[in-house]
Amino acid sequence: MLTAEARILTDRPSRYLVQLCKHFANKGRHLTHRPRTHTLPELRPDQIQVEWTDSDGTLRLPWGQCTLQALPGTLRVHVEADGQENLERLQDLVSTHIGRFSRRDPLRVEWRASGAAVDAPAEGAVLPHQRPGGRTRFIVIGVAAVAVALHLALGGTVLANTPWTGWVVGFLVTVVVVKAALVGGLALRRHGSRIG
């Protein structure tokens, strides 16, 4: 048996694993379109077997088998077949579908012989399409602190020359709180939509 493996860096490995398996479980209807790179042999629905969970999946075809595993930050894909042509068919099939499923944020699929060393992402490494959340939070907090300080300084200047001190303080504190809440809420919503 010939084998090959790809470790695809993604912050959503389980999502792609499940999407691939559901697609293949559609009993071969999706394989009636042929990739442009080469033609696939005709498959009957009873020739395709797919099993999966959120973390593992297996696809069995007449010309080989594909095993998927969702690891932290990585989708591991292992293919095996009885000949080079069949192995390349499996590699092309997986690569084509990963490419289609990740059109918005394209993923790289680089195949290696199974015994070859594969680099794992370093601990704490930022994966493609993953933004470091901690830095963004500090920036938002810093901007909010500067805005509050400026508003308080301006308020102090106004209060020093005004007979209506109580009303002005109440108004300025309300404006500062509302602005901080709006800016913070918008920043967190934007940050959340980028990650999800």
Side-chain angles (χ1 to χ4, degrees):
M1 279 280 185
L2 297 175
T3 61
E5 184 171 301
R7 291 190 181 230
I8 304 163
L9 296 179
T10 174
D11 54 341
R12 298 181 295 259
S14 181
R15 175 185 157 214
Y16 287 111
L17 181 149
V18 170
Q19 190 174 8
L20 278 167
C21 290
K22 281 183 179 179
H23 189 70
F24 289 128
N26 206 357
K27 296 299 181 188
R29 284 184 274 172
H30 68 285
L31 295 176
T32 57
H33 72 286
R34 304 235 190 305
R36 293 184 178 135
T37 54
H38 64 270
T39 41
L40 296 171
E42 288 296 324
L43 289 174
R44 295 188 323 266
D46 63 332
Q47 294 177 307
I48 302 169
Q49 298 173 359
V50 184
E51 301 169 359
W52 76 90
T53 65
D54 285 343
S55 60
D56 297 285
T58 304
L59 166 67
R60 291 180 193 86
L61 298 169
W63 21 277
Q65 176 173 305
C66 175
T67 306
L68 304 156
Q69 185 178 23
L71 303 168
T74 305
L75 175 61
R76 179 183 167 269
V77 183
H78 179 86
V79 292
E80 56 186 60
D82 58 1
Q84 187 63 36
E85 184 180 353
N86 287 336
L87 185 68
E88 289 173 4
R89 283 181 184 149
L90 280 172
Q91 289 172 310
D92 184 57
L93 186 67
V94 171
S95 297
T96 300
H97 283 82
I98 288 284
R100 283 202 347 240
F101 295 154
S102 67
R103 267 183 297 201
R104 289 185 190 153
D105 297 319
L107 299 176
R108 284 182 55 192
V109 181
E110 293 183 15
W111 294 98
R112 295 185 171 113
S114 254
V118 179
D119 297 331
E123 190 167 326
V126 177
L127 299 173
H129 318 299
Q130 179 183 10
R131 289 166 179 83
R135 195 169 58 198
T136 303
R137 286 190 192 117
F138 284 123
I139 291 170
V140 169
I141 290 169
V143 168
V146 168
V148 168
L150 288 174
H151 280 82
L152 290 177
L154 179 63
T157 304
V158 169
L159 288 177
N161 299 322
T162 302
W164 304 314
T165 304
W167 288 96
V168 173
V169 169
F171 176 75
L172 286 175
V173 168
T174 303
V175 168
V176 168
V177 169
V178 168
K179 278 186 176 182
L182 288 173
V183 169
L186 289 173
L188 290 175
R189 181 179 295 159
R190 182 179 299 158
H191 177 68
S193 69
R194 286 181 185 168
I195 291 177

